[in-house]
Every structure is written in structure tokens, then in C-alpha cells.
Amino acid sequence: MKLVGISGSLVGWKTHVAINKVLAAAKAVDSDVKTEMIDLKDYDVEFVRGTPLAYYNEDTFNVINKILAADFLVIGTPIYQASISGALKNLLDHFPVDAFKNKVTGIVSTGAVEKHFLVSEYQLKPILSYLKGLVPAYNVFIHNDSFDDENEIIDEEVTERIDKFAEELIRLQQNIS
């Protein structure tokens, strides 16, 4: 099984660190799981124009196809202005309606306001469901206070939640594969 992590931030490192932590936790649960990180800051994903994928640049084409080829996904976003990142929303707009059928699509979000944990539930979850992704009941929100000055996660409770989340992602995907 291949798990692809998507960091939907174009600035900062908290979401990237969080997704990497989930990928590492997944490998700890099942060493046969192959993982790959797609950090949107490393790619020039073009804005959606409504044209076929072949008309977009190489980065856009490659990122979309890597995600489509994955068995399951963990999608991360920082919360900006009580919303998911524009870069992530643009990426998701590239996919056809059934792109995530038979794929577990886990959610990790980071933010500075406690109530922003609801953004994943009310904005990202409906988008992933529309794309036919199987969204676990459990997702992970990480408050900015859970990171140190080097953007490492220092909150042990968060690390425990990530470990449980990774296990749930793997078990759910195994059950639908």
C-alpha cells in the first residue's frame, strides 16, 4: 500500500512537519507501507482553468497523477482566516468527482486558534466526501503551541493522537482494499 501525504501550505513548516510525523507513524504501524510526501511549496501547481489535465504544466500533471496513484492519503492544511489554504483548495479542484473512490483520506490541520479544529470538519471533509474519499471519523488538529521554535511537535498528547490516527488510516485502508 502507498500512503501519500500532502502538505497544503505554501509558507511555514508546521503542516509539513505534522504530515511527516503521520507518515513516520504509519511506517511504524506497518513497515510495508510505502510513503511519499507532496509539499505544495515544492511544486508549481497551476490554477484550475477547466481544461484537461494534459494542458497544465508538468508539476501539476505529476502531482495530480501521484495522488491518483496512491492507495490512501493524508491531507494537511494550515488554517488561514478560518479556512483551508487556497493552495490546497486549488489542488483539490483539479480532481474529478470520483478521484478518491476506495481511498481513505485522512485530515491533519494546524492553526493558532482552538476553534479552528472545526474547519476540517465543515470545509475539508465535505470536499473529500464529494470526491468519494472515505474520511475517517477521527482527524488531527494541532495547535501552534504544540510546536517548539524549530517547528518540532513537543506535545506528547499530539504525538499519541498522530500514532492512533496513522493506525486508523492503515486499518481502514486494509479493510477496503
Side-chain angles (χ1 to χ4, degrees):
M1 288 190 312
K2 182 159 188 182
L3 171 60
V4 170
I6 302 164
S7 176
S9 175
L10 297 182
V11 296
W13 291 97
K14 289 177 176 64
T15 303
H16 178 95
V17 168
I19 295 299
N20 264 338
K21 199 84 151 154
V22 174
L23 296 177
K27 292 287 286 177
V29 171
D30 184 344
S31 61
D32 291 333
V33 170
K34 294 179 181 15
T35 62
E36 181 174 359
M37 166 67 90
I38 295 175
D39 192 331
L40 293 184
K41 72 171 68 94
D42 296 334
Y43 298 93
D44 178 24
V45 176
E46 291 185 274
F47 283 106
V48 172
R49 299 185 302 266
T51 58
L53 185 58
Y55 290 104
Y56 291 91
N57 67 19
E58 186 176 347
D59 274 357
T60 305
F61 185 84
N62 289 337
V63 166
I64 299 302
N65 282 312
K66 284 180 186 185
I67 293 168
L68 288 172
D71 294 303
F72 59 132
L73 306 166
V74 59
I75 300 168
T77 184
I79 306 302
Y80 299 136
Q81 306 294 342
S83 184
I84 66 173
S85 74
L88 180 60
K89 177 62 170 95
N90 179 63
L91 175 72
L92 294 171
D93 286 345
H94 279 282
F95 291 100
V97 70
D98 62 348
F100 298 159
K101 189 174 184 179
N102 297 322
K103 293 180 196 250
V104 172
T105 53
I107 301 170
V108 173
S109 56
T110 59
V113 178
E114 289 292 340
K115 292 180 181 175
H116 281 169
F117 78 91
L118 293 169
V119 172
S120 297
E121 198 65 30
Y122 291 111
Q123 290 183 16
L124 189 51
K125 188 174 182 178
I127 295 167
L128 298 177
S129 294
Y130 176 79
L131 295 171
K132 306 298 186 281
L134 174 61
V135 181
Y138 185 71
N139 64 59
V140 176
F141 173 78
I142 307 171
H143 192 277
N144 287 352
D145 290 345
S146 297
F147 293 88
D148 65 14
D149 292 338
E150 284 81 43
N151 290 321
E152 294 298 321
I153 296 172
I154 56 173
D155 187 329
E156 289 187 31
E157 181 186 329
V158 170
T159 300
E160 289 174 20
R161 285 190 283 137
I162 287 172
D163 291 344
K164 290 177 184 175
F165 176 67
E167 186 172 348
E168 180 183 16
L169 292 175
I170 290 170
R171 300 298 171 238
L172 283 171
Q173 190 60 45
Q174 287 172 337
N175 287 331
I176 64 171
S177 294

